[in-house]
Amino acid sequence: MQDEFNPAVGQCPALPGVAERWPHLVGRTYFNTGMLWVPAPMLAPMRTGVQRALVRGRQHIKHNDQCALNFWLLSSGAAHPVGPVFNRFEVDRFPQRGDWVRRVLRRPVTRRDGHVVHFVGGQKPWMRSCPGTEDVHAYRQQMYRTLRHLTGAGAL
């Protein structure tokens, strides 16, 4: 899914210098997914591609593995965007640290139309230091349900 904060190559701080080096990539989608769906045989080539991008494109990497993944996706042509409801950022607590998010987002900060919630920043919902917002509570409930299922199936 297209990143809400870094929408496209050359139109955001992500992948610095890429637009100048490869002008044909200007305007191409910068992906940052809350959900990534790939066939299992693609996992090994993806991992190799991301590792190469981290080494060969270090000067263009701003968001570490996320930028490296985008490097691979841009060169492989393997990505297809999905609708925005499959990657809504959890931004309810961002205004507590400043109003920047309202200037960047093209949607209301408290909009509730997401199917997949993408947690960003240093306080991920699986960390105890994360504030207990409505989205965090929903995530933790699902995480505990999934862990109980996996434990019952003998997978953990």
Side-chain angles (χ1 to χ4, degrees):
M1 174 59 217
Q2 185 175 35
D3 189 306
E4 290 188 289
F5 301 135
N6 296 286
V9 175
Q11 300 169 13
C12 62
L15 296 176
V18 165
E20 294 77 19
R21 186 169 180 187
W22 296 291
H24 68 283
L25 296 179
V26 171
R28 294 273 305 273
T29 300
Y30 181 89
F31 292 97
N32 188 359
T33 58
M35 173 182 75
L36 183 63
W37 184 20
V38 296
M42 289 296 292
L43 293 175
M46 182 187 307
R47 181 183 174 113
T48 302
V50 168
Q51 288 173 335
R52 283 188 190 135
L54 281 168
V55 173
R56 296 179 184 166
R58 176 54 53 196
Q59 72 272 26
H60 304 296
I61 304 290
K62 179 178 174 79
H63 301 299
N64 200 25
D65 59 337
Q66 188 59 53
C67 280
L69 176 61
N70 272 275
F71 253 161
W72 179 78
L73 291 170
L74 287 167
S75 65
S76 70
H80 300 282
V82 296
V85 295
F86 292 104
N87 189 37
R88 286 293 189 210
F89 285 117
E90 184 269 326
V91 293
D92 290 356
R93 57 195 157 104
F94 281 28
Q96 299 168 4
R97 297 187 179 157
D99 203 40
W100 69 271
V101 72
R102 293 183 198 280
R103 291 189 305 272
V104 175
L105 285 186
R106 297 177 185 164
R107 64 177 172 92
V109 172
T110 57
R111 192 168 175 178
R112 296 281 179 202
D113 66 347
H115 294 331
V116 175
V117 178
H118 187 161
F119 293 91
V120 297
Q123 295 176 317
K124 305 291 187 188
W126 51 87
M127 299 172 70
R128 290 189 178 154
S129 61
C130 182
T133 66
E134 182 182 336
D135 290 327
V136 170
H137 180 70
Y139 178 93
R140 287 178 177 164
Q141 280 186 318
Q142 185 60 44
M143 180 179 69
Y144 295 138
R145 220 177 285 137
T146 302
L147 289 173
R148 280 194 303 273
H149 175 73
L150 290 172
T151 301
L156 289 178

